[in-house]
Every structure is written in structure tokens, then in C-alpha cells.
């Protein structure tokens, strides 16, 4: 049986079907695929925050300008005796041209005087930290010790540090140990009080867990108390250093020797008021640097923002 295939004349004469790529839409799609992808736009450089810059720089500059203008106005009045800013600046250039000269035990540059004061502060403050911080932990941990020493602290803390200077002169028979003793007695109270308050504010749940786990006193101190009390402790250290630097100037003015306080008193005896104003700025700058260093130290050990 033979099968015959018949083709219509129209089918034979019809043109071949257009390929998918021959249509306009397909050509456009093909061209778009062949074209390389456009590169992503380059990130824009952040604009300079001029407002933040001026808000950070302009207020301090204006504050210093106001200080200089008030100083100039007071110095310009008759019979004030206060040197003008330009005169003080000229004296400062002369003083800091050679800050480490030595012409005898009582005639030394401002650099040696500052270093001598910092040495006394470091010794007195270090002794206060060795005594005050452990005492604060003990007072904070023990209710009996807290009730025993709180009245004594409340009685002795308001006493002016310079009132302790004659006691130091009587006991130690020397000006330098007496100044260190004054630094010690005025630095110990902030560290004792802040450390004890920090221990007392440790959540009771922490201590309950320590009792359940039967932790030793050393483990409680190293794992619970010390990390929790550290922000309070560093606050006490900052207050103590500021008080120590404040007191050493007054103590050296009374005891003499080498130190920034003695330098101020010696310049007063020489009626050199420009040097006294320079010493005031030096004392303020050194105190500011100490405060800034302790703020940076505190920020390394606490997650909270440390403010001046």
C-alpha cells in the first residue's frame, strides 16, 4: 500500500517563517544583550561638614577671645597693676625659651618646677590609691565596717587639705614629706567613697549567684565586684587627681622649695605679675591634660560614654 503525500500549492509557495532573531523586538533584545552592562555609579564623596567643624572650633575660640578682651579691659584701667596680654605674651616667650635652666636650688626654670610638683602629686596620689581603693572595697562589702567608718569619713572629709599641712610638718619634720602627706589626705576620700558606693550598688542577683556557685572571695572580687565597680573607681580617681593638683600649688606656696606653687610665690615676692599669670595658665593646662588622660583611660574600661 502506497501512501501519497499531497502538498497544497499555497504551502509550497509560502515564504519561510521568520526566525526569532529577524523581528525588530528580537533584534533590540539581542543588541541589548550584546551591549556591555553599564558600570554602577561611583559613590559620591561625602561633603565636608562645615557646620560641625565651626561648632567644634568657633565656641572655644570665642571664649578665649572674650577672656583676652576682658583681660585687656581690666589691664587698661589705671592703677590696676595687671599686665596687658601683649606684655604677658612677651614674658611667656622669654620664660619658655629655656624652661629647664638651673641657677641654684631656688632659681630653676618652670619646667623643673612643674616636674617637681607632678612628682609630689604622683607619690601622694599613689599612696592614697594603695590605701583608699582596698578600703573602699572593704567598707562597701561589710555593713559593720561601713557603719564604723562612715561617721569618720563624714567628719574628716570636709576639712580643708591645708589644715593637715601643719600636722605633716610636725610629724615628718620636712616640707617635702609634709606636702606629700597633704596630697595623700586630700586624695584618699574621693577614692574611698566612690569605690564603696560602687560596691554597694552591685546588683544583689550577682551576689546570690556567687553564693549558689560557692565562689571564693577572690573569685567574687575578680569576676563580679571589680568589673562592676570599675566605672565608680575611675570616677574617684579623676576627682582625686584634680583635687591633688589643686592642693599641691597651695601647699608649695607655704612650704617653699621647688615646685610650681613655690614659683608663683617667688614671682610674687619679685613683683613679677606677668610670670604669675603665666603660672596660672601652666597650672590650668597641666590639670586639663591630666583630666584628659584619665578620661581616655576610663573610656578603655567602660562601655558608657565618659564626659568631662
Amino acid at each position: 500500500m502506497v501512501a501519497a503525500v499531497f502538498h497544497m500549492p499555497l504551502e509550497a509557495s509560502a515564504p519561510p517563517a521568520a526566525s526569532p532573531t529577524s523581528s525588530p523586538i528580537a533584534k533590540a533584545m539581542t543588541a541589548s544583550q550584546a551591549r556591555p552592562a553599564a558600570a554602577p555609579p561611583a559613590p559620591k564623596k561625602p561633603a565636608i561638614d562645615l557646620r560641625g567643624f565651626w561648632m567644634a572650633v568657633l565656641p572655644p575660640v570665642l571664649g578665649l577671645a572674650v577672656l583676652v578682651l576682658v583681660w585687656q579691659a581690666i589691664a587698661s584701667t589705671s592703677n590696676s597693676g595687671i599686665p596687658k596680654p601683649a606684655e604677658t605674651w612677651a614674658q611667656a616667650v622669654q620664660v619658655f625659651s629655656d624652661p629647664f635652666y638651673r641657677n641654684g636650688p631656688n632659681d630653676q626654670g618652670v619646667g623643673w618646677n612643674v616636674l617637681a610638683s607632678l612628682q609630689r602629686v604622683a607619690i601622694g596620689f599613689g599612696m592614697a590609691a594603695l590605701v583608699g581603693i582596698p578600703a573602699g572595697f572593704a567598707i562597701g562589702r561589710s555593713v559593720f565596717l561601713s557603719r564604723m567608718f562612715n561617721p569618720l569619713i563624714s567628719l574628716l572629709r570636709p576639712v580643708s587639705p591645708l589644715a593637715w599641712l601643719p600636722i605633716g610638718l610636725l610629724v615628718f619634720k620636712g616640707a617635702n614629706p609634709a606636702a606629700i602627706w597633704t596630697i595623700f589626705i586630700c586624695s584618699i576620700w574621693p577614692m574611698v567613697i566612690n569605690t564603696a558606693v560602687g560596691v554597694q550598688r552591685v546588683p544583689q542577683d550577682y551576689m546570690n549567684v556567687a553564693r549558689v556557685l560557692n565562689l571564693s572571695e577572690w573569685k567574687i572580687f575578680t569576676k563580679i565586684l571589680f568589673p562592676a565597680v570599675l566605672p565608680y573607681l575611675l570616677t574617684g580617681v579623676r576627682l582625686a587627681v584634680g583635687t591633688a593638683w589643686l592642693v599641691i600649688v597651695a601647699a608649695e606656696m607655704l612650704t617653699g622649695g621647688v615646685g610650681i606653687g613655690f614659683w608663683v610665690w617667688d614671682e610674687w615676692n619679685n613683683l613679677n605679675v606677668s610670670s604669675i599669670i603665666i603660672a596660672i595658665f601652666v597650672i590650668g593646662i597641666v590639670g586639663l591634660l591630666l583630666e584628659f588622660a584619665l578620661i581616655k583611660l576610663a573610656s578603655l574600661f567602660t562601655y558608657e560614654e565618659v564626659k568631662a
Side-chain angles (χ1 to χ4, degrees):
M1 187 172 181
V2 179
V5 180
F6 296 95
H7 298 280
M8 295 295 292
L10 293 176
E11 292 179 355
S13 61
S19 62
T21 58
S22 62
S23 64
I25 299 176
K27 290 181 179 180
M29 294 176 61
T30 304
S32 63
Q33 292 176 356
R35 188 182 304 118
K44 296 181 179 180
K45 295 183 179 180
I48 300 176
D49 188 7
L50 294 178
R51 184 176 182 277
F53 173 77
W54 286 115
M55 288 300 295
V57 174
L58 189 59
V61 172
L62 288 178
L64 292 175
V66 170
L67 175 63
V68 172
L69 289 176
V70 173
W71 179 6
Q72 177 69 30
I74 296 175
S76 299
T77 60
S78 59
N79 300 326
S80 63
I82 298 177
K84 296 181 180 179
E87 300 173 1
T88 306
W89 176 259
Q91 179 69 17
V93 172
Q94 181 180 354
V95 167
F96 289 104
S97 62
D98 188 12
F100 291 100
Y101 74 88
R102 289 183 185 270
N103 292 332
N106 295 327
D107 187 9
Q108 301 184 22
V110 64
W112 294 118
N113 287 282
V114 172
L115 291 178
S117 298
L118 287 174
Q119 182 183 12
R120 294 189 183 100
V121 168
I123 296 173
F125 172 80
M127 294 170 58
L130 290 176
V131 176
I133 293 176
F137 275 102
I139 293 172
R141 286 282 287 151
S142 173
V143 177
F144 178 81
L145 293 178
S146 177
R147 293 178 179 177
M148 176 180 176
F149 286 103
N150 278 341
L152 296 177
I153 295 173
S154 300
L155 176 65
L156 298 178
R157 185 174 62 88
V159 178
S160 172
L162 293 181
W164 296 99
L165 185 60
I167 305 297
L169 292 171
L170 177 65
V171 173
F172 299 106
K173 311 296 184 183
N176 192 54
I180 294 174
W181 153 257
T182 306
I183 295 300
F184 169 83
I185 201 66
C186 76
S187 301
I188 194 171
W189 308 125
M191 287 186 280
V192 171
I193 295 172
N194 282 272
T195 304
V197 170
V199 173
Q200 293 169 355
R201 291 188 178 181
V202 173
Q204 189 61 35
D205 293 341
Y206 295 177
M207 307 308 298
N208 294 336
V209 172
R211 293 190 186 96
V212 170
L213 297 177
N214 198 21
L215 297 181
S216 63
E217 193 68 23
W218 176 251
K219 285 287 187 180
I220 293 175
F221 174 77
T222 56
K223 301 298 183 180
I224 298 177
L225 290 181
F226 187 76
V229 176
L230 190 58
Y232 295 91
L233 190 153
L234 291 175
T235 300
V237 168
R238 288 174 55 197
L239 295 174
V241 167
T243 305
W245 184 244
L246 178 70
V247 169
I248 190 61
V249 176
E252 289 173 345
M253 292 176 69
L254 298 178
T255 58
V258 180
I260 190 66
F262 170 75
W263 192 62
V264 171
W265 192 250
D266 187 58
E267 294 300 321
W268 167 250
N269 291 329
N270 295 329
L271 298 179
N272 194 349
V273 184
S274 296
S275 295
I276 296 175
I277 297 176
I278 294 170
I280 291 173
F281 279 100
V282 170
I283 293 168
I285 291 172
V286 173
L288 183 64
L289 292 177
L290 291 174
E291 179 76 7
F292 179 78
L294 289 174
I295 290 175
K296 288 299 182 182
L297 178 64
S299 64
L300 296 177
F301 295 98
T302 180
Y303 293 104
E304 299 177 358
E305 183 181 0
V306 181
K307 298 181 179 179

